[in-house]
Amino acid sequence: MTSAKSTQNATPHLPEDYDSRISGVLPYYSFFHQEIMNFIKSLPYSPKIWLDTGCGTGSLVNKAIEEFPATKFLLLDPSEGMLNQARKKLSSCPADRLEFLKASSSQEFSQELEEKPDIITAIQCHHYLTREGRIRATGVCYNLLKEGGIYITFENIRPLTEEGITLGKRYWRNFQLAHGRTEEEINEHLERFDTEYFPITVEEHLELLRETGFRTVELFWYSYMQAGFYCTK
């Protein structure tokens, strides 16, 4: 959930105000988390290990830890500030069900894990990367997963046409206006498209995920200029 310029991850807002801002920027942001949990509940097994990369302030894990009482959660983020906020948010959770990994982006992660995760989630964290960085990040997630494990990612998406990009930005602008953001804030945010974050099309996502080696690759959520995918190793 954190952001970056080019291949480096640097938070666009202070970690402490991230939660209050994000819902006014991303349409249906809370639904990303709910749909992920709904999907994982439909699996024929309950995950033992769940790694959330780009975990931000720990909002997804904060919701999932009660829904999946037999699951241990690993939290990874390139920002130490975000990880500190996640520690505070999750301070009342059982310590044996949480492990905070050393701050790192997905593509640079090299820490040895005691056990491969059943689930890896990457929510709004890889579209800040160059194409090469995105390929590396996706490959790292694939290699970390156990055989048969599930990778779930939500990202900003590039519409298929230039007209689609123009209309998509207008659509997104109206959402942000309705949620109290100023024209200046909205313009600054939309100007980051292709300069600070680099979205790819749904088709390019599907191709990348297949080329990484996932045997099942599916689009399961799409609205405005965001989409969610799940893949099986």
Side-chain angles (χ1 to χ4, degrees):
M1 298 176 204
T2 57
S3 73
K5 295 183 179 182
S6 185
T7 57
Q8 301 300 314
N9 284 57
T11 55
H13 306 300
L14 295 174
E16 56 269 25
D17 72 1
Y18 183 83
D19 288 339
S20 63
R21 289 176 177 265
I22 192 68
S23 293
V25 175
L26 288 176
Y28 304 114
Y29 177 67
S30 64
F31 286 87
F32 298 0
H33 296 167
Q34 190 57 54
E35 289 306 311
I36 287 168
M37 291 190 292
N38 289 346
F39 174 73
I40 293 174
K41 285 178 182 177
S42 73
L43 298 176
Y45 59 87
S46 181
K48 183 178 179 183
I49 307 291
W50 178 340
L51 167 61
D52 187 29
T53 183
C55 69
T57 64
S59 295
L60 173 59
V61 173
N62 192 42
K63 297 171 185 175
I65 198 165
E66 293 189 10
E67 299 285 341
F68 300 91
T71 303
K72 179 178 179 179
F73 293 88
L74 312 181
L75 291 92
L76 176 66
D77 198 274
S79 166
E80 193 63 53
M82 287 290 193
L83 290 171
N84 287 336
Q85 287 295 311
R87 288 185 182 95
K88 291 178 184 177
K89 181 178 290 186
L90 299 165
S91 60
S92 63
C93 299
D96 62 345
R97 296 192 56 208
L98 296 170
E99 182 178 347
F100 290 89
L101 303 172
K102 287 186 273 189
S104 173
S105 60
S106 301
Q107 71 273 18
E108 296 168 342
F109 182 71
S110 60
Q111 186 175 338
E112 289 290 328
L113 301 180
E114 291 183 6
E115 187 172 354
K116 285 182 174 288
D118 308 89
I119 303 289
I120 294 179
T121 44
I123 313 305
Q124 296 295 123
C125 63
H126 292 162
H127 56 259
Y128 297 99
L129 303 176
T130 62
R131 176 172 291 275
E132 294 73 22
R134 189 193 294 270
I135 291 170
R136 288 199 306 273
T138 307
V140 168
C141 291
Y142 178 86
N143 290 331
L144 286 171
L145 269 176
K146 78 172 189 180
E147 202 67 31
I150 303 288
Y151 173 61
I152 303 173
T153 183
F154 275 70
E155 293 290 358
N156 290 339
I157 294 298
R158 171 182 291 280
L160 299 175
T161 63
E162 288 302 315
E163 184 177 11
I165 292 172
T166 299
L167 292 173
K169 286 182 176 180
R170 289 179 183 170
Y171 192 29
W172 200 352
R173 173 186 294 277
N174 288 342
F175 170 84
Q176 294 185 49
L177 278 172
H179 285 77
R181 303 200 88 205
T182 66
E183 287 281 359
E184 183 180 1
E185 287 175 321
I186 295 168
N187 288 338
E188 182 181 346
H189 175 257
L190 294 179
E191 286 170 1
R192 295 167 60 217
F193 188 99
D194 273 350
T195 59
E196 293 186 25
Y197 70 91
F198 306 92
I200 60 177
T201 67
V202 166
E203 293 170 350
E204 289 172 317
H205 266 288
L206 295 171
E207 182 181 5
L208 166 62
L209 294 165
R210 292 186 189 112
E211 288 181 350
T212 300
F214 290 105
R215 61 181 172 86
T216 300
V217 175
E218 299 287 352
L219 170 71
F220 80 110
W221 198 95
Y222 194 6
S223 182
Y224 280 78
M225 293 170 72
Q226 289 77 42
F229 306 83
Y230 73 82
C231 317
T232 307
K233 182 174 178 178

